[in-house]
């Protein structure tokens, strides 16, 4: 097998060549790069540089300085080599260019000896160090020049991710060899028509260029081809998943009759906003079908998403199905339960709470009711997804604050080929690039307007010298009867993190600025019962100020609270700050948010906070956050369950994403299941990369 002539090998076999067998490679090197997930020639070809070094800075030897990335040219005057035994060796050359002499050195590359001869004109690129009065390049990039050749071979050197025991030099060599010997082997996945339509470089041209571009333009053209391909395959997978959900699962049809509509509207103490009506219409249309709904409802904090959810839940119950509402925290689940209890006083809906903190008897009673169908409506947390929760006839599941739940969690309530309708809600506006990728298998409704009575929140950056005035302002609001939140990033003090903690703040406020008021504390390490009590006391107005961590971030709704204070605001993302601020201004009183910044804010942090104070538009802030911090795990990138992107950068490649998405959806619509032989390779790539994560099974 090892001796099989290369000419007879298929491209597939060629690409599977183990790295140890590549020209110039060694088993030791091959085993080191395995830590980077690199095993074969193919892996090396698609191990894209994470950066490039510009070596176009051409110097004469007398212009050299230490550690600058430069290129020099000259004639070899001397070649020498030595060996220390134990297999260690050194090859050196001395190069002269009329202004001075420089040295090039290679360790443990005895074969380099034969590549050099006195009188050759060469070009060395890299960083030089002064050694014994002479500049020395260690393992420079070398190019052999004809006598009068001027152009450098490649002014952009690829920079690869490395691992222990492998140098940039060796990594470059490995990839370079793979490119020289195998770059023509990978088959083109795109048709000629697609390549032309989207101005993409063919694979055989893009591969050498991405690893050794001659200029910025070539680099960008090569990169664009791979970015497009990566995003195209992702979008195909998302299209396939949507398709599979549509044809693969059946949901209960939940039509909204005029009578049901009237009954629900009568329960509500207010008129719906135009946005709520539009979203309700979209949802009603979806759940009337036997194709499961998979819809994302986005709306800024306070935009009134709960009502849309409530409407759908009641339609489901009226249709004889069970419905579930899942919240990310127990506090929120209990708050939803309270809201519902108020609204459903007169109705016959049998609804129950299912959360982690319940005792065994309570829990088993709820579970029995869920299984028998006696319980129509369940409000809960993740506990709803746990073992032993069996619905008799689940028609609709609403998931509040979706970014804490991933694709897999959504699958957990399915049984066989039946699935509930899903409505997922998020108050973190999701930048479009993210909703097109991580949530790309969902339909989207957006609430853009705010309910009437919603008051604007005025935000201040409170500098240390303005604190006294700020505290007077807060005390005035409290004396007027309003309530306030004080949020800190940490529970307890920390030696390693410079940020205010809730415990410290509680101590100092109750003994200082807010000594005359009833102050309480709430954080994630308290028992569920204690948290509940603290929340209940605040809701009832028994406490005036609630000092807490971000456990109050999402959804907590206390209309009388009008002041939000945020300690160490630079520790939070913009979207998170906006979430926090959204807790106030909810009840007809104007809202105020004070960012109690510390003195040593960096410029970047100050800019971010100024942007936060300047706008109340959550969508704008989300886009900005995304630009500044990248997708991170703000949107649950990790929980989304999708493998990470290897080359595309969503903040930067937005246009390519739009283009790839349209192209992929068009292709999938024309050939659902990708059965056309022309699409075999794309289909294979899609399944290899996303089959497991998106549970694509065998599409088509
Ligand atoms: P969010 O989108 O942040 O979940 P909520 O659903 O909690 O927002 O609604 C915020 C507040 O606005 C709640 O107090 C709710 O009762 C109120 N509200 C919702 N819709 C309307 C409306 N159409 N008119 C007046 N108040 C509304
Ligand atoms: Mg909410």
């Amino acid at each position: 097998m090892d001796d099989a002539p290369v000419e007879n090998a298929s491209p597939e076999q060629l690409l599977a060549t183990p790295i140890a067998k590549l020209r110039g490679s060694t088993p030791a090197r091959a085993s080191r790069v395995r830590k980077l997930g690199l095993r074969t020639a193919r892996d090396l070809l698609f191990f894209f540089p994470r950066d490039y070094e510009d070596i176009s800075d051409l110097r004469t030897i007398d212009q050299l300085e230490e550690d600058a990335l430069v290129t020099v040219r000259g004639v070899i005057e001397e070649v020498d080599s030595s060996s220390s035994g134990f297999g260690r060796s050194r090859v050196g050359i001395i190069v002269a260019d009329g202004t001075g002499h420089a040295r090039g050195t290679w360790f443990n590359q005895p074969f380099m000896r034969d590549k050099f001869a006195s009188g050759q004109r060469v070009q060395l690129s890299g960083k030089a160090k002064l050694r014994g009065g002479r500049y020395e390049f260690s393992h420079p990039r070398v190019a052999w020049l004809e006598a009068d050749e001027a152009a450098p071979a490649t002014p952009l050197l690829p920079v690869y991710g490395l691992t222990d025991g492998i140098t940039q030099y060796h990594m470059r060599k490995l990839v370079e060899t793979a490119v020289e010997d195998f770059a023509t082997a990978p088959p083109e996945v795109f048709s000629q028509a697609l390549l032309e339509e989207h101005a993409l470089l063919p694979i055989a041209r893009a591969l050498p260029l991405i690893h050794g571009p001659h200029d910025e333009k070539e680099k960008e053209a090569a990169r664009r081809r791979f970015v497009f391909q990566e995003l195209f395959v992702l979008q195909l997978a998302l299209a396939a998943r949507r398709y599979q959900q549509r044809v693969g699962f059946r949901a209960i049809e939940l039509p909204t009759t005029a009578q049901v509509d009237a009954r629900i509207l009568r329960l509500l103490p207010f008129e719906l906003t135009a946005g709520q009506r539009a979203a309700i219409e979209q949802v009603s249309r979806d759940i009337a079908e036997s194709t499961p709904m998979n819809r994302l409802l986005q709306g800024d904090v306070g935009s009134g998403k709960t009502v849309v959810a409530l409407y759908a839940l009641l339609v489901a119950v009226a249709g004889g199905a069970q419905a579930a509402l899942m919240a990310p925290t127990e506090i929120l689940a209990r708050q939803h339960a309270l809201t519902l209890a108020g609204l459903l006083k007169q109705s016959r809906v049998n609804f129950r709470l299912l959360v982690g903190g319940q005792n065994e008897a309570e829990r088993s009673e709820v579970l029995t009711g869920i299984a028998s169908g006696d319980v129509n409506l369940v409000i809960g947390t993740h506990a709803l997804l746990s073992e032993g929760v069996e619905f008799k006839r689940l028609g609709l599941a609403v998931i509040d604050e979706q970014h804490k739940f991933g694709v897999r969690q959504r699958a957990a309530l399915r049984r066989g080929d039946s699935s509930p309708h899903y409505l997922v809600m998020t108050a973190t506006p999701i930048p479009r690039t993210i909703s097109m990728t991580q949530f790309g298998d969902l339909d989207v409704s957006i609430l853009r307007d705010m309910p009437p009575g919603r008051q604007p929140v005025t935000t201040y950056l409170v500098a240390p010298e303005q604190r006294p005035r700020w505290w007077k302002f807060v005390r005035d609001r409290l004396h007027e009867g309003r309530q306030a939140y004080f949020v800190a990033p940490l529970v307890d003090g920390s030696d390693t993190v410079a940020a205010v903690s809730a415990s410290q703040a509680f101590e100092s406020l109750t003994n200082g600025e807010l000594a005359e008021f009833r102050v309480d504390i709430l954080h994630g390490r308290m028992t569920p019962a204690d948290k509940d009590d603290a929340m209940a006391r605040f809701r009832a107005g028994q406490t005036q100020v609630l000092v807490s961590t971000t456990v109050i971030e999402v959804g907590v709704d206390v209309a009388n609270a009008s002041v939000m204070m945020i300690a160490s605001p630079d520790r939070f993302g913009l979207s998170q700050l906006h979430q926090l601020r959204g807790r106030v201004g909810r009840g007809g009183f104007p809202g105020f948010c004070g960012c109690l910044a510390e003195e040593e804010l960096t410029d970047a942090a100050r800019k971010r906070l100024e942007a936060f104070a300047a706008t109340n538009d959550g969508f704008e802030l989300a886009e900005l956050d995304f630009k500044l911090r990248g997708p991170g795990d703000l949107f649950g990138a990790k929980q989304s369950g999708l493998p990470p992107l290897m080359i595309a950068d969503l903040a930067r490649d937005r246009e390519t994403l739009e283009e790839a998405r349209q192209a992929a959806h068009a292709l999938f619509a024309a050939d659902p299941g990708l059965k056309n032989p022309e699409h075999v390779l794309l289909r294979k790539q899609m399944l290899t990369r996303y089959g497991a994560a998106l549970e694509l099974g065998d599409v088509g």
Side-chain angles (χ1 to χ4, degrees), residues 32-45:
R32 284 184 200 131
V33 298
R34 191 164 303 161
K35 277 185 232 137
L36 295 165
L38 306 174
R39 289 162 188 278
T40 63
R42 181 206 309 274
D43 295 339
L44 285 177
L45 289 179

Side-chain angles (χ1 to χ4, degrees), residues 70-74 93 95 102-104 106 116 122-126 137 140-143:
V70 296
T71 293
V72 296
R73 289 179 188 160
I93 57 173
V95 172
R103 170 182 278 284
W106 289 262
F116 297 114
V122 292
Q123 164 178 297
L124 304 181
S125 304
F137 291 88
R141 176 104 169 169
V142 58

